[in-house]
């Protein structure tokens, strides 16, 4: 699990890619996608689809499973990775792979390089699987929906991360330069340096402390709270300055619990400085000090991901994903982020629509130029 077999990127053909994309589309509505549906929406000539699916199962990009009501295919982690990496390779964002450099609780981090051998950082978001099981045990959420939701959650997480990173980068916050994203993968600048947690001593703790607190305040004045501002998500570059990473959990300062999250971020820094550097200060920011001078939160909310409603909202919140910015209506791409639907039979119209989505997705993955991502910022 979690290991990237990049050689596969070279073996597989455009038809394989199409079949996987069809399964991905089918998974929006089915936990297991029946072979006949894959064949239908992949829209390939001569019924070669079954053979292709068999091969893809052999490579463990798909699995064939027996469900309660019917049998069908689903994408594996590796299958989903493949789709995203192939798309990023098609777009010439990434050209080669290096090592895994991090395993977060909800991500795997790799070094990659572009065509000119510039090193970059690739973050694969992996949400949902285990957490979903827990939620399911407790509450019996719509069981049929659970398996497919890891695709959805991981994709939202990556989309959200990219949107925040871009909005922050555009405002000259010290964050890695966002390069591109696809599905659950984000490509960004590789930070030279290491996480603050590896730093055992600094020349001037006070200066670094101030720099970090000022960042928290600057973020707050833009309308956002990092939400996980700790020594693992603060990188220290070669010049000793902080670079902030890891944004999927960011929230708006108009969030109901904003003050709580804000205080927690501040406390994280204070406690770390006390414990690690023996540095304490009476001076630290409070939520009431913030003076809003930007609408970064609103910009991000209407950029790349859509608010979901009802229990999806609740579910996402339990997963620590907050899509809502109070008082802001989102106006993003139609269909972009609808969660997986209950199993249903498709009408001809729906089938046509699915086929169109497969075409559009493949077209996008082949052609979308860098820089023209769906994220809108000021
Ligand atoms: P998670 O959400 O799983 O915590 P992070 O984004 O915090 O993932 O990344 C996990 C680790 O990977 C970080 O602590 C850091 O060591 C490394 N890392 C992440 N992004 C970068 C980057 N852009 N450059 C260098 N290292 C990075
Ligand atoms: Mg982290």
């Amino acid at each position: 699990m979690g290991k990237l077999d990049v050689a596969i990127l070279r073996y597989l053909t455009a038809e394989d890619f199409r079949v996987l994309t069809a399964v991905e589309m089918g998974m929006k509505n089915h936990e297991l996608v029946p072979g006949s549906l894959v064949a239908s929406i992949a829209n390939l000539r001569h019924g070669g689809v079954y053979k292709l699916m068999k091969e893809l199962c052999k490579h463990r990009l798909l699995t064939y499973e027996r469900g309660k009501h019917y049998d069908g295919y689903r994408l594996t982690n590796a299958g989903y990775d493949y789709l995203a990496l192939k798309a990023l390779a098609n777009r010439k964002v990434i050209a080669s792979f290096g090592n895994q450099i991090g395993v977060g609780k909800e991500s795997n981090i790799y070094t990659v390089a572009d065509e000119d051998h510039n090193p970059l950082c690739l973050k694969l978001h992996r949400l949902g699987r285990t957490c979903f099981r827990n939620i399911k045990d407790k509450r019996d959420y719509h069981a049929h929906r659970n398996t497919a939701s890891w695709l959805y959650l991981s994709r939202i997480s990556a989309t959200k991360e990219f949107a925040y990173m871009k909005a922050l980068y555009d405002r000259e916050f010290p964050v890695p330069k966002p390069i591109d994203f696809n599905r659950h993968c984000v490509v960004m600048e590789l930070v030279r340096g290491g996480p603050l947690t590896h730093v055992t001593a600094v020349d001037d703790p006070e200066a670094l402390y101030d720099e970090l607190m000022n960042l928290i305040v600057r973020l707050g004045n833009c309308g956002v709270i990092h939400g996980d501002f700790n020594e693992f998500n603060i990188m220290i570059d070669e010049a000793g300055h902080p670079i902030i990473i890891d944004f999927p959990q960011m929230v708006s300062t108009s969030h109901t619990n904003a003050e709580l999250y804000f205080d927690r971020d501040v406390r994280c820094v204070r406690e770390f400085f006390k414990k690690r550097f023996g540095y304490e200060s009476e001076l630290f920011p409070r939520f009431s000090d913030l003076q809003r001078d930007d609408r970064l939160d609103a910009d991000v909310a209407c950029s790349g991901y859509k608010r979901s409603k009802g229990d999806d909202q609740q579910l996402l919140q339990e997963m620590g994903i907050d899509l809502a910015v109070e008082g802001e209506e989102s106006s993003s791409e139609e269909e972009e982020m609808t969660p997986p639907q209950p199993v249903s039979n498709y009408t001809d119209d729906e089938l046509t629509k699915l086929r169109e989505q497969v075409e559009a997705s493949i077209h996008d993955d082949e052609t979308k130029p860098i820089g023209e991502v769906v994220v809108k910022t000021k």
Side-chain angles (χ1 to χ4, degrees):
M1 269 278 205
K3 193 143 191 331
L4 281 186
D5 180 5
V6 288
I8 264 174
L9 283 174
R10 284 189 290 273
Y11 303 144
L12 298 185
T13 64
E15 290 195 335
D16 292 313
F17 191 80
R18 175 172 285 270
V19 169
L20 289 174
T21 306
V23 175
E24 180 189 26
M25 289 300 167
M27 283 176 76
K28 285 186 175 172
N29 293 55
H30 295 70
E31 185 172 351
L32 297 170
V33 190
S36 57
L37 181 61
V38 181
S40 169
I41 59 183
N43 218 2
L44 284 169
R45 262 162 287 244
H46 23 263
V49 176
Y50 281 91
K51 208 173 147 225
L52 293 173
M53 290 192 288
K54 207 173 149 197
E55 280 301 303
L56 290 166
C57 284
K58 222 184 268 170
H59 284 107
R60 296 184 195 283
L61 300 180
L62 289 181
T63 58
Y64 184 77
E65 286 180 15
R66 283 161 214 291
K68 263 202 196 108
H69 305 295
Y70 60 91
D71 304 341
Y73 295 86
R74 62 173 186 78
L75 276 180
T76 60
N77 264 330
Y80 200 45
D81 293 350
Y82 171 79
L83 281 173
L85 296 175
K86 186 73 178 169
L88 290 166
N90 285 347
R91 288 192 215 158
K92 311 215 180 297
V93 173
I94 55 180
S96 63
F97 290 81
N99 304 317
Q100 182 160 2
I101 53 171
V103 199
K105 39 185 194 319
E106 291 175 334
S107 73
N108 297 336
I109 316 275
Y110 298 84
T111 55
V112 292
D114 65 15
E115 288 184 315
D116 302 322
H117 311 287
N118 299 311
L120 296 167
C121 175
L122 174 84
K123 178 168 174 179
L124 293 175
H125 291 244
R126 303 212 184 276
L127 269 82
R129 288 204 130 152
T130 26
C131 301
F132 252 97
R133 298 264 150 72
N134 299 338
I135 288 173
K136 186 171 140 193
D137 292 344
K138 270 187 253 147
R139 295 214 172 187
D140 194 36
Y141 271 101
H142 310 250
H144 54 256
R145 190 191 269 178
N146 288 353
T147 310
S149 291
W150 62 269
L151 293 184
Y152 172 67
L153 291 169
S154 305
R155 184 160 62 108
I156 286 185
S157 180
T159 307
K160 215 183 148 184
E161 173 146 88
F162 189 87
Y164 275 116
M165 207 186 317
K166 174 140 177 48
L168 292 168
Y169 186 79
D170 288 349
R171 287 163 175 83
E172 298 181 348
F173 276 93
V175 299
K177 180 179 183 182
I179 310 287
D180 199 358
F181 73 101
N182 186 273
R183 295 177 173 85
H184 61 318
C185 295
V186 175
V187 181
M188 65 186 114
E189 178 185 353
L190 183 69
V191 175
R192 305 291 179 166
L196 179 57
T197 186
H198 290 167
V199 176
T200 48
V202 287
D203 292 342
D204 190 353
E206 184 180 356
L208 183 59
Y209 176 92
D210 287 349
E211 208 171 344
L212 291 171
M213 291 305 187
N214 285 337
L215 276 174
I216 292 180
V217 172
R218 230 180 109 201
L219 288 170
N221 290 344
C222 286
V224 289
I225 299 161
H226 184 280
D228 202 4
F229 203 83
N230 60 44
E231 62 272 24
F232 303 96
N233 294 329
I234 299 165
M235 308 282 291
I236 301 296
D237 70 13
E238 284 158 338
H241 293 293
I243 295 176
I244 309 305
I245 59 166
D246 202 358
F247 312 105
Q249 71 293 322
M250 280 183 72
V251 292
S252 164
T253 47
S254 3
H255 186 278
T256 334
N257 297 323
E259 182 158 8
L260 204 129
Y261 295 135
F262 182 87
D263 289 345
R264 194 176 62 191
D265 279 0
V266 170
R267 197 169 56 240
C268 267
V269 174
R270 297 185 71 203
E271 283 174 1
F272 179 79
F273 271 70
K274 187 172 156 195
K275 215 171 54 196
R276 180 67 57 89
F277 307 126
Y279 176 83
E280 277 185 272
S281 170
E282 240 98 88
L283 294 176
F284 59 91
R286 326 220 173 205
F287 190 66
S288 56
D289 299 339
L290 296 181
Q291 291 178 310
R292 191 189 257 268
D293 58 18
D294 202 339
R295 285 163 42 88
L296 194 156
D297 52 343
D299 282 356
V300 168
C302 61
S303 62
Y305 61 92
K306 198 169 187 160
R307 242 161 122 171
S308 73
K309 300 193 177 73
D311 61 356
D312 294 323
Q313 182 84 40
Q314 191 187 335
L315 183 58
L316 290 167
Q317 267 171 13
E318 290 197 30
M319 306 284 305
I321 300 171
D322 176 25
L323 295 178
V325 172
E326 251 78 38
E328 293 292 339
E329 275 306 320
S330 136
S331 59
S332 84
E333 323 248 292
E334 216 245 327
E335 279 282 313
E336 241 319 281
M337 286 297 176
T338 49
Q341 299 300 308
V343 172
S344 61
N345 293 316
Y346 286 93
T347 63
D348 284 351
D349 277 358
E350 285 164 340
L351 266 181
T352 308
K353 200 165 169 211
L354 270 171
R355 280 194 199 118
E356 285 168 5
Q357 284 177 6
V358 170
E359 298 308 329
S361 170
I362 290 174
H363 179 77
D364 228 37
D365 287 341
E366 280 170 357
T367 57
K368 199 160 74 176
I370 310 167
E372 266 189 44
V373 285
V374 288
V375 174
K376 184 193 85 190
T377 54
K378 341 179 43 163

